[in-house]
Every structure is written in C-alpha cells, then in structure tokens.
C-alpha cells in the first residue's frame, strides 16, 4: 500500500501492474527527452545571435518535424494497446467473484460456491484495533488464492462506483445494470487495499476494499469455514 509522501506508484503485485509500471517509465522517458529537446532549442534561440536565412523555408526540417511526432506516437500506442488487450483477456479463470457496489459498502458473492456471500463495511475509527489502518480496514476481507487467474464481475445496485486496487493494477467502474469484468492475479500473498474511486455520495470516502491473497490451501480452509 502507499506510504506518506509517496511520489511514485505502489509496488506492483500482479503481472498487469508490472506491465503498467514499465509502460509508465517508457512513456515518461519519451516525455523527458521531448521536454529536454524543446528546452534546449528555446534556450538556443534566446541566447545565440546567429541566424540562418533559409531555415524558414527548409523542406527537410518540416518533413522531420512532421514524421518524428508520428513515430513517437506509434512508440507510445503499440505498448499501450498490448497492455489493454492483456487486461481484457482472461482464459479459464480458477474462480469467479461477483462484486456489487452499494451506498456505501461492497457485497461479494463467490459464484463457484453455493452460499458464500457477504457484505463488507468499513470498520469505524472507534472500533479499530492497534495496527489497523483508519478508513481502510473492513469487517469482512475478500480472501482469494494467489498465483491463479480470478475473474471479478463488478456492478452496482444504486449509483456509479469504481472498484480500485492500485497495487494490483485494478480500476473498474461499477455501473447499475451493467456487468464489467476484471482479472486478478497476484504474485505474492499479502493484504492489498483499495477504495471506491468514483464520487458516489456523502460517504464515498468510507467504502474501502481489502483483498487478502493467500496460498490455495489456506483459501480452501477459509472457504470451508465460511460455508
């Protein structure tokens, strides 16, 4: 999860988030190079007294500054499209979980099990135990197996919500009457925190998400204890 005064992205815990962070660094380097070049040219034009009379009519220069931006856009677009298709694709999910947004809590249903469903509310500040995080802890965590592809079906029963877990590279809108899909796959066990990322009313800030990724054996023991 994020720490105070953090400037960068959260540590990646899924293959998708690793790809997103690589794409972020790739794009940021292109922006840095363009900015450096423009700053250098502006500085050069303001400081030098030398001029070239045929610069304004140079066809070669116009050709370069037309083609070069197109090449740069292609270098950005191709990795972006690749990641978009990776995020949409899911083959043979090991588990499907249906998530419903409400004002102002989340409800979860494990569709592969008969009676495994629960609501997840934020724990009030007065009820927090030592070490628990304010505005981020919930009474029922979403327990999922690690290193397996998991399909999340996300919708809403009232207004627009957004189910987001930054360290897993997840952010999917919960829209009434529409079922959106997201893919979860965690490389390691742990607790992953998120929040509703769509302004949904007065208590928008108070509907956190907590995923607990555990080994498959621990998940099976938990699911048996919940049924």
């Amino acid at each position: 999860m994020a720490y105070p005064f953090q400037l960068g992205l959260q540590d990646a815990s899924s293959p998708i988030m690793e790809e997103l962070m690589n794409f972020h660094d790739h794009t940021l380097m292109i922006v840095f190079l363009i900015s450096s070049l423009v700053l250098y040219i502006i500085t050069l034009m303001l400081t030098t007294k030398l001029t070239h009379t045929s610069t304004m009519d140079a066809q070669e220069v116009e050709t370069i500054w037309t083609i070069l931006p197109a090449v740069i856009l292609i270098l950005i677009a191709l990795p972006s499209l690749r990641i978009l298709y990776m995020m949409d694709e899911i083959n043979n999910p090991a588990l499907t979980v249906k998530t419903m947004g409400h004002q102002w809590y989340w409800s979860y249903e494990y569709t592969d099990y008969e009676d495994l469903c629960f609501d997840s509310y934020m724990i009030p500040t007065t009820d927090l135990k030592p070490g628990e995080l304010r505005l981020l802890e919930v009474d029922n965590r979403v327990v999922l197996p690690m290193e397996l592809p998991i399909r999340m079906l996300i919708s809403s029963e009232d207004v627009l919500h957004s189910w987001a877990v930054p360290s897993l590279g997840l952010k999917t809108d919960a829209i009434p009457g529409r079922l959106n899909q997201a893919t979860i796959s965690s490389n390691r066990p742990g607790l992953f925190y998120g929040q509703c990322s769509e302004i949904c009313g007065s208590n928008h800030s108070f509907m956190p998400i907590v995923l607990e990724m555990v080994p498959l054996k621990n998940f099976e023991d938990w699911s048996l204890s919940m049924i």
Side-chain angles (χ1 to χ4, degrees):
M1 61 171 292
Y3 54 84
F5 303 106
Q6 179 175 345
L7 295 179
L9 301 171
Q10 295 185 26
D11 292 340
S13 299
S14 70
I16 293 295
M17 190 58 190
E18 289 176 359
E19 292 289 338
L20 288 171
M21 291 183 71
N22 290 335
F23 176 67
H24 169 269
D25 296 341
H26 166 74
T27 308
L28 200 62
M29 184 55 65
I30 293 175
V31 171
F32 175 75
L33 293 174
I34 293 172
S35 303
S36 301
L37 178 63
V38 171
L39 184 63
Y40 171 73
I41 293 174
I42 291 175
T43 306
L44 210 60
M45 291 179 66
L46 293 175
T47 55
T48 185
K49 295 181 180 180
L50 301 175
T51 57
H52 197 288
T53 54
S54 62
T55 300
M56 301 303 295
D57 298 323
Q59 296 296 321
E60 294 83 1
V61 174
E62 292 186 8
T63 303
I64 291 172
W65 71 39
T66 300
I67 294 176
L68 192 60
V71 172
I72 292 172
L73 288 175
I74 291 172
L75 291 176
I76 294 174
L78 291 180
S80 174
L81 290 172
R82 173 175 166 269
I83 296 174
L84 279 174
Y85 280 108
M86 286 176 61
M87 294 174 70
D88 279 342
E89 185 178 354
I90 177 168
N91 295 319
N92 302 321
L95 185 68
T96 299
V97 181
K98 184 179 178 182
T99 304
M100 297 295 292
H102 307 266
Q103 289 182 307
W104 287 270
Y105 65 96
W106 298 98
S107 61
Y108 300 94
E109 179 185 348
Y110 291 69
T111 58
D112 299 284
Y113 297 82
E114 252 185 60
D115 296 313
L116 185 48
C117 54
F118 53 84
D119 297 330
S120 182
Y121 290 86
M122 186 194 76
I123 299 177
T125 305
T126 53
D127 297 338
L128 289 175
K129 298 176 184 176
E132 292 185 335
L133 302 169
R134 178 176 173 270
L135 300 183
L136 286 176
E137 296 291 348
V138 295
D139 55 357
N140 289 310
R141 294 171 175 169
V142 183
V143 180
L144 296 171
M146 57 177 283
E147 296 180 335
L148 289 174
I150 300 163
R151 176 171 54 197
M152 297 295 296
L153 301 176
I154 300 163
S155 187
S156 170
E157 285 201 353
D158 37 50
V159 299
L160 290 177
H161 299 280
S162 186
W163 199 81
V165 183
S167 58
L168 295 176
L170 294 171
K171 185 179 184 298
T172 305
D173 288 340
I175 304 171
R178 179 187 175 94
L179 206 59
N180 287 330
Q181 177 177 284
T183 307
I184 297 178
S185 181
S186 175
N187 296 332
R188 56 189 173 89
L191 290 177
F192 304 102
Y193 293 88
Q195 290 177 299
C196 177
S197 297
E198 186 76 43
I199 296 176
C200 55
S202 58
N203 288 337
H204 157 69
S205 303
F206 309 117
M207 46 185 306
I209 301 158
V210 183
L211 301 184
E212 184 176 351
M213 308 301 292
V214 298
L216 182 58
K217 179 65 170 64
N218 298 69
F219 171 75
E220 290 173 345
D221 295 340
W222 172 84
S223 61
L224 290 173
S225 68
M226 290 290 291
I227 297 176

